[in-house]
């Protein structure tokens, strides 16, 4: 299951989830029902946001690496046919 | 004298090499079944943290009931992901919409449980057909097609509920409907031994052992490499112990929940389809290399269509289990279902030796997340802290995958 394309998609989805977590933690930082101090909520929100950005970057690099591999394979095939 | 010295040195060397062999076997086993080991460690962790609370019969029943939707939607999501990392973002919102429609049928219009089930399935099939056609034949990217559903369906479901109920909630869901998805088989009082459940556990354990041994025998006959018979017996023993423990706990908790039957039925069916049928293998082939699959004669469009049609049908079944459990249709049901399902697939599909992406892997992932959720509820952890823990679990699974992939390279 975990080939280049799948891994890239999974990383992107994980990034979206991290981003969503960061957003909900930030939004809920002043919720009176929570025992989490606002500063801690903001800290975790920032951590998850950074993780989301990192995963997006990694996912883009995976996708580019997959495209490069495809081009190389096609080049090799056309060289062999010559 | 020198002979005795040599013998004791030889014995010491043998002991060292046996220890190394056991260490190597354990390491190899850990690499192959990473998530299973982590599941056990996390369970033991929460067992200590909850002072045995997670080992109660009611906790086992709650684990099954609370996570039924994850197992069912997770199976559908896995089938979509097998086609090349495609996902369905609309399933959670569709649960809200379909739940609202189901509430209207049963609570407002007085439609019987049987007819309501058929109607809800028909709506699921209609949506799945439309979605599958848009993705497979019109070539709309799955992200966009399902994102549209994600945005539209919740609003639609909420407005239907608001227009038909002052509290934006339709209840009560009829008992006949609830019993199909949230009842119990031969129910007994909690604390009283439910013998049909216990006997079902013994039968299930016997069947699993037979299947494992017969599979091994067939593989040996065909000349395939198989693990040692000792390892097989250990696996059988552990499997039997887990099944008997689960069924004993359920037996003391009032009987087999019908939701467990749905989960087991769906998981076993799809495990069979993905591992033993041609169409199941086509899903892996399409996900591996779609061009090569197409050139090999696989109808890739049909596979994509089936993946999304199947997802919609399983989402319909999950909706029925959810509204049965909540005994109402309201605008909050289905929240984050797609994320839970994706997390189960991602967490379960990760191992140091590379994700295999089977239904059973997804079940392990879903069970791990379920145990973490249940454990956190039992220790009354704040909702924000629970979100943080869930986020870190997914992040850990993703980082583990990145590191093991780099190591493999």
């Amino acid at each position: 299951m975990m080939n280049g394309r799948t891994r890239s998609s999974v990383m992107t989805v994980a990034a979206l989830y991290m981003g969503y977590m960061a957003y909900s933690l930030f939004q809920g930082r002043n919720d009176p029902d929570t025992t989490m101090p606002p500063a801690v909520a903001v800290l975790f929100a920032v951590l998850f946001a950074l993780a989301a950005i990192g995963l997006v970057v990694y996912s883009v690099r995976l996708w580019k690496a997959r495209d490069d591999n495809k081009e190389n394979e096609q080049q090799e095939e056309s060289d062999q046919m010559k | 004298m020198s002979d005795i010295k040599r013998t004791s040195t030889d014995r010491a060397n043998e002991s060292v090499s046996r220890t190394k062999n056991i260490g190597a076997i354990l390491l190899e086993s850990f690499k192959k079944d990473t998530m299973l080991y982590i599941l056990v460690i996390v369970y033991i962790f929460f067992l200590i943290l909850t002072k045995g609370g997670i080992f109660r019969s009611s906790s086992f029943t709650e684990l099954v009931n609370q996570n039924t939707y994850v197992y069912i939607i997770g199976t559908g999501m896995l089938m979509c992901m097998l086609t090349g990392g495609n996902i369905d973002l609309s399933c959670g919102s569709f649960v809200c919409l379909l739940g609202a429609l189901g509430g209207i049928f049963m609570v407002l219009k007085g439609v019987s449980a049987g007819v309501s089930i058929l109607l809800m399935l028909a709506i699921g099939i209609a949506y799945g057909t439309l979605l599958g056609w848009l993705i497979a034949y019109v070539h709309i990217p799955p992200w966009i097609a399902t994102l549209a559903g994600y945005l539209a369906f919740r609003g639609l479901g909420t407005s239907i509920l608001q227009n038909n109920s002052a509290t934006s909630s339709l209840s009560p869901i009829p008992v006949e409907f609830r019993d199909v998805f949230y009842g119990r088989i031969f129910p007994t009082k909690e604390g009283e031994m439910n013998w049909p459940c216990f006997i079902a556990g013994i039968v299930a354990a016997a069947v699993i052992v037979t299947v494992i041994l017969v599979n091994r025998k067939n593989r040996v006959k065909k000349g395939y490499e198989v693990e040692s018979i000792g390892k097989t017996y250990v696996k059988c023993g552990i499997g039997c112990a887990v099944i008997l423990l689960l069924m004993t706990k359920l037996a003391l908790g009032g009987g087999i929940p019908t939701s467990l039957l749905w989960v087991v039925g769906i998981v076993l069916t799809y495990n069979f389809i993905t591992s033993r049928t041609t169409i199941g293998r086509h899903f892996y082939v399409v996900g591996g290399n779609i061009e090569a699959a197409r050139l090999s004669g696989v109808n890739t469009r049909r596979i994509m269509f089936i993946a999304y049609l199947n997802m919609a049908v399983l989402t319909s079944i999950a909706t029925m289990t959810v509204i049965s459990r909540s005994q109402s249709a309201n605008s909050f049901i289905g929240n984050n279902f797609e994320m839970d399902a994706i997390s189960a697939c991602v967490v379960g599909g990760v191992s140091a030796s590379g994700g295999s992406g089977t239904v059973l892997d997804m079940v392990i992932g879903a069970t791990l997340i379920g145990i973490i959720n249940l454990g956190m509820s039992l220790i009354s952890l704040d909702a924000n802290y629970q979100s943080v823990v869930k986020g870190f679990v997914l992040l850990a699974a993703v980082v583990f995958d990145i590191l093991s992939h780099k190591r493999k390279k």
Side-chain angles (χ1 to χ4, degrees):
Chain A
M1 181 168 84
M2 290 296 208
N3 62 24
R5 188 175 151 197
T6 308
R7 290 182 72 245
S8 180
S9 304
V10 164
M11 296 298 160
T12 309
V13 171
L16 282 174
Y17 191 51
M18 291 291 142
Y20 171 74
M21 282 288 189
Y23 172 74
S24 8
L25 276 170
F26 188 75
Q27 284 291 98
R29 69 191 186 283
N30 293 321
D31 188 352
D33 295 329
T34 186
T35 56
M36 185 183 271
V40 175
V42 169
L43 176 67
F44 280 124
V46 167
L47 274 171
F48 281 137
L50 289 173
I53 294 166
L55 285 173
V56 165
V57 168
Y58 184 74
S59 163
V60 166
R61 283 169 71 181
L62 261 182
W63 197 265
K64 278 191 175 159
R66 182 181 158 263
D67 284 343
D68 289 342
N69 281 343
K70 250 190 173 175
E71 276 177 26
N72 289 341
E73 278 169 17
Q74 284 169 356
Q75 186 64 36
E76 277 174 25
E77 271 177 32
S78 60
D79 288 344
Q80 277 175 6
M81 281 170 72
K82 281 178 191 170
Chain B
M1 189 74 174
S2 58
D3 286 335
I4 293 167
K5 266 192 184 170
R6 212 168 30 243
T7 307
S8 62
T9 311
D10 287 342
R11 273 207 295 273
N13 285 340
E14 271 172 25
S15 163
V16 166
S17 84
R18 216 179 300 131
T19 312
K20 273 190 183 164
N21 281 340
I22 291 169
I25 289 168
L26 278 172
L27 186 63
E28 193 197 313
S29 172
F30 178 78
K31 277 184 181 174
K32 199 175 150 223
D33 298 313
T34 314
M35 277 303 134
L36 212 48
Y37 280 90
I38 290 175
L39 181 69
V40 171
I41 291 165
V42 166
Y43 188 79
I44 292 170
F45 172 74
F46 277 110
L47 193 64
I48 296 166
L49 212 61
T50 60
K51 298 185 176 79
I54 207 167
F55 197 66
R56 284 198 300 258
S57 301
S58 54
S59 297
F60 277 80
T61 311
E62 192 56 24
L63 183 66
V64 171
N65 285 328
Q66 220 174 50
N67 294 290
T68 302
Y69 76 91
V70 183
Y71 294 120
I72 297 174
I73 295 181
T75 304
M77 193 69 79
L78 178 78
M79 301 304 284
C80 293
M81 287 176 90
L82 287 178
T83 61
N86 298 308
I87 53 171
D88 180 358
L89 292 172
S90 65
C91 55
S93 301
F94 186 64
V95 165
C96 176
L97 174 62
L98 193 61
L101 292 172
I104 288 183
F105 296 149
M106 288 181 280
V107 177
L108 293 183
K109 305 290 181 193
V111 177
S112 69
V115 173
S116 298
I117 289 170
L118 290 172
L119 282 172
M120 289 170 81
L121 272 175
I123 295 169
I125 289 170
Y127 171 56
T129 305
L130 173 67
L131 189 64
W133 174 72
L134 285 173
I135 291 170
Y137 295 98
V138 182
H139 299 296
I140 293 178
W143 285 89
I144 295 174
T146 58
L147 187 63
Y150 171 80
L151 296 170
F153 291 152
R154 186 159 298 278
L156 208 52
T158 305
S159 69
I160 288 173
L161 288 165
Q162 280 171 350
N163 288 341
N164 289 284
S165 160
T167 54
S168 299
S169 167
L170 291 168
S171 63
I173 299 295
V175 174
E176 309 79 53
F177 184 91
R178 285 199 332 250
D179 284 344
V180 175
F181 298 99
Y182 191 61
R184 285 188 193 272
I185 309 292
F186 304 117
T188 50
K189 280 194 203 136
E190 212 174 301
E192 209 177 281
M193 182 51 118
N194 186 303
W195 290 108
C197 178
F198 185 71
I199 291 165
I202 295 173
V203 168
V207 164
I208 300 261
V209 168
T210 310
V211 164
I212 290 173
L213 292 176
V214 164
N215 271 346
R216 188 180 184 279
K217 191 178 162 191
N218 287 338
R219 287 178 72 83
V220 166
K221 227 193 259 181
K222 290 174 184 169
Y224 289 121
E225 202 183 306
V226 291
E227 58 192 7
S228 68
I229 192 72
K231 259 194 212 170
T232 306
Y233 283 143
V234 166
K235 255 190 191 168
C236 289
I238 293 171
C240 283
V242 168
I243 290 170
L244 285 172
L245 173 67
L246 174 67
M247 295 309 276
T248 307
K249 285 294 175 182
L250 290 176
L252 291 168
I256 304 174
T258 44
S259 53
L260 180 65
L261 293 182
W262 282 99
V263 167
V264 169
I266 287 169
V267 161
L268 289 180
T269 304
Y270 280 84
N271 190 52
F272 179 80
I273 290 170
T274 52
S275 58
R276 302 294 175 105
T277 64
T278 311
I279 193 164
R281 300 317 294 175
H282 282 173
F283 277 83
Y284 288 95
V285 167
V286 166
N289 188 327
I290 195 167
E291 264 314 300
R294 194 181 59 79
L295 292 169
S296 307
V298 174
N299 191 334
T300 54
R301 289 185 188 183
R302 194 169 64 127
I303 296 296
M304 292 291 281
F305 176 82
I306 290 171
Y308 282 92
L309 172 61
N310 169 71
M311 179 71 193
V313 170
L314 287 175
T315 305
S316 307
I317 297 173
T319 306
M320 295 182 221
T321 65
V322 167
I323 62 173
S324 300
R325 184 165 177 256
S326 64
Q327 297 183 33
S328 72
N330 59 67
S331 53
F332 300 108
I333 60 169
N335 256 343
N336 290 332
F337 277 19
E338 53 282 325
M339 293 304 182
D340 290 340
I342 291 167
S343 297
C345 293
V346 170
V347 168
V350 166
S351 78
S353 57
S356 50
T358 65
V359 176
L360 297 180
D361 288 335
M362 183 280 301
V363 167
I364 291 170
T367 307
L368 176 65
I369 292 171
I371 287 172
I372 291 171
N373 282 339
L374 183 65
M376 290 194 296
S377 304
L378 286 173
I379 59 174
S380 309
L381 196 63
D382 185 80
N384 274 357
Y385 283 111
Q386 288 193 29
S387 300
V388 167
V389 169
K390 277 194 244 188
F392 273 119
V393 166
L394 182 62
L395 191 58
V398 163
V399 166
F400 190 76
D401 173 68
I402 292 170
L403 291 176
S404 58
H405 190 73
K406 277 192 176 153
R407 216 181 307 127
K408 251 175 71 178
K409 273 188 172 177

